PDB file of all heavy atoms in Angstrom:
ATOM      1  N   ILE A   1       0.870  -1.208  -0.009  1.00 97.00           N
ATOM      2  CA  ILE A   1      -0.003  -0.006  -0.007  1.00 97.00           C
ATOM      3  C   ILE A   1       0.828   1.231  -0.003  1.00 97.00           C
ATOM      4  O   ILE A   1       1.645   1.523   0.973  1.00 97.00           O
ATOM      5  CB  ILE A   1      -0.924   0.008   1.257  1.00 97.00           C
ATOM      6  CG1 ILE A   1      -1.675  -1.284   1.367  1.00 97.00           C
ATOM      7  CG2 ILE A   1      -1.870   1.201   1.152  1.00 97.00           C
ATOM      8  CD1 ILE A   1      -2.524  -1.313   2.655  1.00 97.00           C
ATOM      9  N   PRO A   2       0.810   2.069  -0.985  1.00 95.00           N
ATOM     10  CA  PRO A   2       1.535   3.344  -0.979  1.00 95.00           C
ATOM     11  C   PRO A   2       0.693   4.459  -0.300  1.00 95.00           C
ATOM     12  O   PRO A   2      -0.479   4.193  -0.037  1.00 95.00           O
ATOM     13  CB  PRO A   2       1.652   3.629  -2.563  1.00 95.00           C
ATOM     14  CG  PRO A   2       0.412   3.117  -3.091  1.00 95.00           C
ATOM     15  CD  PRO A   2       0.105   1.919  -2.249  1.00 95.00           C
ATOM     16  N   PRO A   3       1.303   5.559  -0.083  1.00 94.00           N
ATOM     17  CA  PRO A   3       0.472   6.709   0.515  1.00 94.00           C
ATOM     18  C   PRO A   3      -0.570   7.015  -0.597  1.00 94.00           C
ATOM     19  O   PRO A   3      -0.425   6.873  -1.730  1.00 94.00           O
ATOM     20  CB  PRO A   3       1.524   7.788   0.660  1.00 94.00           C
ATOM     21  CG  PRO A   3       2.828   7.186   0.678  1.00 94.00           C
ATOM     22  CD  PRO A   3       2.700   5.958  -0.189  1.00 94.00           C
ATOM     23  N   PRO A   4      -1.733   7.597  -0.109  1.00 94.00           N
ATOM     24  CA  PRO A   4      -2.805   8.043  -1.086  1.00 94.00           C
ATOM     25  C   PRO A   4      -2.560   9.265  -1.761  1.00 94.00           C
ATOM     26  O   PRO A   4      -3.275  10.234  -1.596  1.00 94.00           O
ATOM     27  CB  PRO A   4      -4.039   8.010  -0.183  1.00 94.00           C
ATOM     28  CG  PRO A   4      -3.485   8.469   1.132  1.00 94.00           C
ATOM     29  CD  PRO A   4      -2.149   7.797   1.269  1.00 94.00           C
ATOM     30  N   ALA A   5      -1.521   9.243  -2.484  1.00 89.00           N
ATOM     31  CA  ALA A   5      -1.005  10.579  -3.188  1.00 89.00           C
ATOM     32  C   ALA A   5      -1.178  10.408  -4.666  1.00 89.00           C
ATOM     33  O   ALA A   5      -1.108   9.283  -5.207  1.00 89.00           O
ATOM     34  CB  ALA A   5       0.403  10.962  -2.744  1.00 89.00           C
ATOM     35  N   GLY A   6      -1.251  11.541  -5.439  1.00 85.00           N
ATOM     36  CA  GLY A   6      -1.315  11.486  -6.832  1.00 85.00           C
ATOM     37  C   GLY A   6      -2.694  11.184  -7.357  1.00 85.00           C
ATOM     38  O   GLY A   6      -3.558  10.852  -6.591  1.00 85.00           O
ATOM     39  N   PRO A   7      -2.844  11.154  -8.653  1.00 89.00           N
ATOM     40  CA  PRO A   7      -4.163  11.001  -9.313  1.00 89.00           C
ATOM     41  C   PRO A   7      -4.632   9.536  -9.275  1.00 89.00           C
ATOM     42  O   PRO A   7      -5.843   9.279  -9.487  1.00 89.00           O
ATOM     43  CB  PRO A   7      -3.896  11.495 -10.718  1.00 89.00           C
ATOM     44  CG  PRO A   7      -2.528  11.209 -11.014  1.00 89.00           C
ATOM     45  CD  PRO A   7      -1.760  11.488  -9.669  1.00 89.00           C
ATOM     46  N   ASP A   8      -3.736   8.607  -9.174  1.00 92.00           N
ATOM     47  CA  ASP A   8      -4.171   7.090  -9.277  1.00 92.00           C
ATOM     48  C   ASP A   8      -3.334   6.244  -8.234  1.00 92.00           C
ATOM     49  O   ASP A   8      -2.544   5.418  -8.677  1.00 92.00           O
ATOM     50  CB  ASP A   8      -3.979   6.718 -10.753  1.00 92.00           C
ATOM     51  CG  ASP A   8      -4.483   5.279 -10.920  1.00 92.00           C
ATOM     52  OD1 ASP A   8      -5.408   4.894 -10.292  1.00 92.00           O
ATOM     53  OD2 ASP A   8      -3.918   4.624 -11.768  1.00 92.00           O
ATOM     54  N   PRO A   9      -3.522   6.427  -6.965  1.00 96.00           N
ATOM     55  CA  PRO A   9      -2.805   5.635  -6.026  1.00 96.00           C
ATOM     56  C   PRO A   9      -3.243   4.169  -6.179  1.00 96.00           C
ATOM     57  O   PRO A   9      -4.388   3.803  -6.282  1.00 96.00           O
ATOM     58  CB  PRO A   9      -3.222   6.190  -4.693  1.00 96.00           C
ATOM     59  CG  PRO A   9      -4.502   6.836  -4.926  1.00 96.00           C
ATOM     60  CD  PRO A   9      -4.495   7.441  -6.305  1.00 96.00           C
ATOM     61  N   THR A  10      -2.323   3.272  -6.284  1.00 97.00           N
ATOM     62  CA  THR A  10      -2.537   1.897  -6.555  1.00 97.00           C
ATOM     63  C   THR A  10      -1.970   0.902  -5.496  1.00 97.00           C
ATOM     64  O   THR A  10      -0.767   1.025  -5.200  1.00 97.00           O
ATOM     65  CB  THR A  10      -1.959   1.502  -7.956  1.00 97.00           C
ATOM     66  OG1 THR A  10      -2.552   2.398  -8.967  1.00 97.00           O
ATOM     67  CG2 THR A  10      -2.225   0.134  -8.368  1.00 97.00           C
ATOM     68  N   ILE A  11      -2.806   0.002  -5.096  1.00 98.00           N
ATOM     69  CA  ILE A  11      -2.387  -0.960  -4.149  1.00 98.00           C
ATOM     70  C   ILE A  11      -2.110  -2.261  -4.972  1.00 98.00           C
ATOM     71  O   ILE A  11      -2.847  -2.597  -5.863  1.00 98.00           O
ATOM     72  CB  ILE A  11      -3.473  -1.413  -3.170  1.00 98.00           C
ATOM     73  CG1 ILE A  11      -3.703  -0.201  -2.213  1.00 98.00           C
ATOM     74  CG2 ILE A  11      -3.073  -2.645  -2.295  1.00 98.00           C
ATOM     75  CD1 ILE A  11      -4.890  -0.339  -1.280  1.00 98.00           C
ATOM     76  N   ARG A  12      -0.962  -2.844  -4.685  1.00 97.00           N
ATOM     77  CA  ARG A  12      -0.524  -4.063  -5.482  1.00 97.00           C
ATOM     78  C   ARG A  12      -0.685  -5.308  -4.601  1.00 97.00           C
ATOM     79  O   ARG A  12      -0.158  -5.351  -3.506  1.00 97.00           O
ATOM     80  CB  ARG A  12       0.929  -3.965  -5.961  1.00 97.00           C
ATOM     81  CG  ARG A  12       1.333  -5.061  -6.879  1.00 97.00           C
ATOM     82  CD  ARG A  12       2.850  -5.013  -7.226  1.00 97.00           C
ATOM     83  NE  ARG A  12       3.636  -5.322  -6.100  1.00 97.00           N
ATOM     84  CZ  ARG A  12       4.926  -4.854  -6.018  1.00 97.00           C
ATOM     85  NH1 ARG A  12       5.459  -4.109  -6.903  1.00 97.00           N
ATOM     86  NH2 ARG A  12       5.680  -5.260  -5.029  1.00 97.00           N
ATOM     87  N   VAL A  13      -1.384  -6.331  -5.061  1.00 97.00           N
ATOM     88  CA  VAL A  13      -1.530  -7.610  -4.379  1.00 97.00           C
ATOM     89  C   VAL A  13      -0.918  -8.738  -5.237  1.00 97.00           C
ATOM     90  O   VAL A  13      -1.126  -8.826  -6.416  1.00 97.00           O
ATOM     91  CB  VAL A  13      -3.006  -7.967  -4.156  1.00 97.00           C
ATOM     92  CG1 VAL A  13      -3.195  -9.328  -3.530  1.00 97.00           C
ATOM     93  CG2 VAL A  13      -3.734  -6.912  -3.322  1.00 97.00           C
ATOM     94  N   ARG A  14       0.064  -9.416  -4.602  1.00 96.00           N
ATOM     95  CA  ARG A  14       0.790 -10.540  -5.323  1.00 96.00           C
ATOM     96  C   ARG A  14       0.646 -11.789  -4.463  1.00 96.00           C
ATOM     97  O   ARG A  14       0.798 -11.817  -3.315  1.00 96.00           O
ATOM     98  CB  ARG A  14       2.222 -10.176  -5.476  1.00 96.00           C
ATOM     99  CG  ARG A  14       2.530  -9.181  -6.596  1.00 96.00           C
ATOM    100  CD  ARG A  14       4.035  -8.975  -6.704  1.00 96.00           C
ATOM    101  NE  ARG A  14       4.436  -8.221  -7.824  1.00 96.00           N
ATOM    102  CZ  ARG A  14       5.649  -7.636  -8.009  1.00 96.00           C
ATOM    103  NH1 ARG A  14       6.566  -7.954  -7.210  1.00 96.00           N
ATOM    104  NH2 ARG A  14       5.861  -6.903  -9.099  1.00 96.00           N
ATOM    105  N   TYR A  15       0.411 -12.801  -5.244  1.00 95.00           N
ATOM    106  CA  TYR A  15       0.509 -14.158  -4.665  1.00 95.00           C
ATOM    107  C   TYR A  15       1.860 -14.704  -5.107  1.00 95.00           C
ATOM    108  O   TYR A  15       2.221 -14.725  -6.310  1.00 95.00           O
ATOM    109  CB  TYR A  15      -0.594 -15.051  -5.235  1.00 95.00           C
ATOM    110  CG  TYR A  15      -0.391 -16.548  -4.872  1.00 95.00           C
ATOM    111  CD1 TYR A  15      -0.500 -16.941  -3.492  1.00 95.00           C
ATOM    112  CD2 TYR A  15      -0.283 -17.525  -5.794  1.00 95.00           C
ATOM    113  CE1 TYR A  15      -0.288 -18.269  -3.123  1.00 95.00           C
ATOM    114  CE2 TYR A  15      -0.163 -18.882  -5.407  1.00 95.00           C
ATOM    115  CZ  TYR A  15      -0.190 -19.237  -4.068  1.00 95.00           C
ATOM    116  OH  TYR A  15      -0.028 -20.543  -3.719  1.00 95.00           O
ATOM    117  N   ILE A  16       2.749 -15.054  -4.121  1.00 93.00           N
ATOM    118  CA  ILE A  16       4.050 -15.500  -4.407  1.00 93.00           C
ATOM    119  C   ILE A  16       4.186 -16.940  -3.956  1.00 93.00           C
ATOM    120  O   ILE A  16       4.453 -17.312  -2.750  1.00 93.00           O
ATOM    121  CB  ILE A  16       5.098 -14.629  -3.628  1.00 93.00           C
ATOM    122  CG1 ILE A  16       4.827 -13.126  -3.933  1.00 93.00           C
ATOM    123  CG2 ILE A  16       6.533 -14.971  -3.955  1.00 93.00           C
ATOM    124  CD1 ILE A  16       5.688 -12.167  -3.079  1.00 93.00           C
ATOM    125  N   PRO A  17       4.030 -17.931  -4.850  1.00 90.00           N
ATOM    126  CA  PRO A  17       4.103 -19.329  -4.431  1.00 90.00           C
ATOM    127  C   PRO A  17       5.471 -19.920  -4.435  1.00 90.00           C
ATOM    128  O   PRO A  17       6.361 -19.401  -5.110  1.00 90.00           O
ATOM    129  CB  PRO A  17       3.264 -19.963  -5.637  1.00 90.00           C
ATOM    130  CG  PRO A  17       3.495 -19.106  -6.803  1.00 90.00           C
ATOM    131  CD  PRO A  17       3.785 -17.730  -6.295  1.00 90.00           C
ATOM    132  N   ALA A  18       5.588 -20.942  -3.651  1.00 86.00           N
ATOM    133  CA  ALA A  18       6.811 -21.746  -3.723  1.00 86.00           C
ATOM    134  C   ALA A  18       6.447 -23.192  -4.108  1.00 86.00           C
ATOM    135  O   ALA A  18       7.262 -24.014  -3.930  1.00 86.00           O
ATOM    136  CB  ALA A  18       7.485 -21.725  -2.300  1.00 86.00           C
ATOM    137  N   GLY A  19       5.334 -23.375  -4.622  1.00 77.00           N
ATOM    138  CA  GLY A  19       4.921 -24.763  -5.014  1.00 77.00           C
ATOM    139  C   GLY A  19       3.455 -24.855  -5.415  1.00 77.00           C
ATOM    140  O   GLY A  19       3.101 -25.435  -6.439  1.00 77.00           O
ATOM    141  N   ARG A  20       2.535 -24.271  -4.623  1.00 74.00           N
ATOM    142  CA  ARG A  20       1.117 -24.475  -4.871  1.00 74.00           C
ATOM    143  C   ARG A  20       0.665 -23.273  -5.760  1.00 74.00           C
ATOM    144  O   ARG A  20       0.185 -22.341  -5.325  1.00 74.00           O
ATOM    145  CB  ARG A  20       0.409 -24.498  -3.563  1.00 74.00           C
ATOM    146  CG  ARG A  20      -1.098 -24.900  -3.729  1.00 74.00           C
ATOM    147  CD  ARG A  20      -1.705 -24.978  -2.355  1.00 74.00           C
ATOM    148  NE  ARG A  20      -1.187 -26.043  -1.497  1.00 74.00           N
ATOM    149  CZ  ARG A  20      -1.479 -27.305  -1.545  1.00 74.00           C
ATOM    150  NH1 ARG A  20      -2.457 -27.671  -2.355  1.00 74.00           N
ATOM    151  NH2 ARG A  20      -0.919 -28.202  -0.760  1.00 74.00           N
ATOM    152  N   ASP A  21       0.799 -23.560  -7.064  1.00 76.00           N
ATOM    153  CA  ASP A  21       0.520 -22.460  -8.036  1.00 76.00           C
ATOM    154  C   ASP A  21      -0.186 -23.078  -9.299  1.00 76.00           C
ATOM    155  O   ASP A  21      -0.208 -22.432 -10.354  1.00 76.00           O
ATOM    156  CB  ASP A  21       1.707 -21.784  -8.513  1.00 76.00           C
ATOM    157  CG  ASP A  21       2.798 -22.648  -9.117  1.00 76.00           C
ATOM    158  OD1 ASP A  21       2.633 -23.845  -9.078  1.00 76.00           O
ATOM    159  OD2 ASP A  21       3.756 -22.040  -9.557  1.00 76.00           O
ATOM    160  N   GLN A  22      -0.707 -24.297  -9.213  1.00 76.00           N
ATOM    161  CA  GLN A  22      -1.394 -25.006 -10.281  1.00 76.00           C
ATOM    162  C   GLN A  22      -2.879 -25.260  -9.978  1.00 76.00           C
ATOM    163  O   GLN A  22      -3.126 -25.579  -8.923  1.00 76.00           O
ATOM    164  CB  GLN A  22      -0.677 -26.276 -10.643  1.00 76.00           C
ATOM    165  CG  GLN A  22       0.717 -26.135 -11.167  1.00 76.00           C
ATOM    166  CD  GLN A  22       0.794 -25.374 -12.503  1.00 76.00           C
ATOM    167  OE1 GLN A  22       0.079 -25.725 -13.426  1.00 76.00           O
ATOM    168  NE2 GLN A  22       1.603 -24.315 -12.546  1.00 76.00           N
ATOM    169  N   GLY A  23      -3.743 -25.109 -10.977  1.00 76.00           N
ATOM    170  CA  GLY A  23      -5.132 -25.373 -10.906  1.00 76.00           C
ATOM    171  C   GLY A  23      -5.612 -25.989 -12.132  1.00 76.00           C
ATOM    172  O   GLY A  23      -4.877 -26.179 -13.061  1.00 76.00           O
ATOM    173  N   VAL A  24      -6.900 -26.191 -12.235  1.00 75.00           N
ATOM    174  CA  VAL A  24      -7.607 -26.738 -13.400  1.00 75.00           C
ATOM    175  C   VAL A  24      -8.687 -25.742 -13.790  1.00 75.00           C
ATOM    176  O   VAL A  24      -9.565 -25.497 -12.988  1.00 75.00           O
ATOM    177  CB  VAL A  24      -8.167 -28.150 -13.109  1.00 75.00           C
ATOM    178  CG1 VAL A  24      -8.936 -28.690 -14.309  1.00 75.00           C
ATOM    179  CG2 VAL A  24      -7.038 -29.124 -12.723  1.00 75.00           C
ATOM    180  N   LEU A  25      -8.619 -25.327 -15.067  1.00 72.00           N
ATOM    181  CA  LEU A  25      -9.663 -24.524 -15.600  1.00 72.00           C
ATOM    182  C   LEU A  25     -10.671 -25.390 -16.314  1.00 72.00           C
ATOM    183  O   LEU A  25     -10.341 -26.126 -17.284  1.00 72.00           O
ATOM    184  CB  LEU A  25      -9.001 -23.559 -16.564  1.00 72.00           C
ATOM    185  CG  LEU A  25     -10.031 -22.523 -17.230  1.00 72.00           C
ATOM    186  CD1 LEU A  25     -10.627 -21.639 -16.251  1.00 72.00           C
ATOM    187  CD2 LEU A  25      -9.326 -21.700 -18.314  1.00 72.00           C
ATOM    188  N   ARG A  26     -11.897 -25.354 -15.956  1.00 72.00           N
ATOM    189  CA  ARG A  26     -12.917 -26.130 -16.481  1.00 72.00           C
ATOM    190  C   ARG A  26     -13.838 -25.207 -17.439  1.00 72.00           C
ATOM    191  O   ARG A  26     -14.396 -24.268 -16.924  1.00 72.00           O
ATOM    192  CB  ARG A  26     -13.817 -26.797 -15.484  1.00 72.00           C
ATOM    193  CG  ARG A  26     -13.100 -27.823 -14.599  1.00 72.00           C
ATOM    194  CD  ARG A  26     -14.107 -28.391 -13.550  1.00 72.00           C
ATOM    195  NE  ARG A  26     -13.387 -29.449 -12.772  1.00 72.00           N
ATOM    196  CZ  ARG A  26     -12.746 -29.181 -11.641  1.00 72.00           C
ATOM    197  NH1 ARG A  26     -12.652 -27.963 -11.194  1.00 72.00           N
ATOM    198  NH2 ARG A  26     -12.144 -30.207 -10.992  1.00 72.00           N
ATOM    199  N   ALA A  27     -13.847 -25.504 -18.697  1.00 68.00           N
ATOM    200  CA  ALA A  27     -14.628 -24.684 -19.643  1.00 68.00           C
ATOM    201  C   ALA A  27     -15.039 -25.576 -20.777  1.00 68.00           C
ATOM    202  O   ALA A  27     -14.149 -26.224 -21.477  1.00 68.00           O
ATOM    203  CB  ALA A  27     -13.793 -23.481 -20.136  1.00 68.00           C
ATOM    204  N   GLY A  28     -16.236 -25.495 -21.221  1.00 69.00           N
ATOM    205  CA  GLY A  28     -16.775 -26.307 -22.354  1.00 69.00           C
ATOM    206  C   GLY A  28     -16.543 -27.777 -22.294  1.00 69.00           C
ATOM    207  O   GLY A  28     -16.197 -28.379 -23.337  1.00 69.00           O
ATOM    208  N   GLY A  29     -16.589 -28.319 -21.037  1.00 73.00           N
ATOM    209  CA  GLY A  29     -16.396 -29.733 -20.914  1.00 73.00           C
ATOM    210  C   GLY A  29     -14.962 -30.181 -20.947  1.00 73.00           C
ATOM    211  O   GLY A  29     -14.611 -31.325 -20.689  1.00 73.00           O
ATOM    212  N   LYS A  30     -14.031 -29.221 -21.037  1.00 76.00           N
ATOM    213  CA  LYS A  30     -12.594 -29.438 -21.005  1.00 76.00           C
ATOM    214  C   LYS A  30     -11.967 -29.102 -19.656  1.00 76.00           C
ATOM    215  O   LYS A  30     -12.454 -28.140 -19.030  1.00 76.00           O
ATOM    216  CB  LYS A  30     -11.889 -28.749 -22.133  1.00 76.00           C
ATOM    217  CG  LYS A  30     -12.263 -29.159 -23.530  1.00 76.00           C
ATOM    218  CD  LYS A  30     -11.477 -28.347 -24.582  1.00 76.00           C
ATOM    219  CE  LYS A  30     -10.008 -28.406 -24.367  1.00 76.00           C
ATOM    220  NZ  LYS A  30      -9.301 -27.657 -25.433  1.00 76.00           N
ATOM    221  N   GLN A  31     -10.925 -29.778 -19.299  1.00 77.00           N
ATOM    222  CA  GLN A  31     -10.192 -29.500 -18.084  1.00 77.00           C
ATOM    223  C   GLN A  31      -8.753 -29.200 -18.472  1.00 77.00           C
ATOM    224  O   GLN A  31      -8.110 -30.082 -19.033  1.00 77.00           O
ATOM    225  CB  GLN A  31     -10.265 -30.652 -17.099  1.00 77.00           C
ATOM    226  CG  GLN A  31     -11.666 -30.951 -16.506  1.00 77.00           C
ATOM    227  CD  GLN A  31     -11.692 -31.881 -15.353  1.00 77.00           C
ATOM    228  OE1 GLN A  31     -10.630 -32.192 -14.763  1.00 77.00           O
ATOM    229  NE2 GLN A  31     -12.799 -32.324 -14.992  1.00 77.00           N
TER     230      GLN A  31
END
């Protein structure tokens, strides 16, 4: 979280994995 300064203050959220970073996308009967 930066200070709320400037015209577009932006909070950055990051997921930083060390292993658990895989999933399954289910769409149109496909995985």
Side-chain angles (χ1 to χ4, degrees):
I1 307 175
D8 187 30
T10 301
I11 295 171
R12 187 183 74 202
V13 177
R14 278 183 178 170
Y15 174 61
I16 306 173
R20 192 174 294 274
D21 58 353
Q22 294 294 311
V24 175
L25 181 64
R26 297 181 176 90
K30 294 178 59 178
Q31 296 188 13

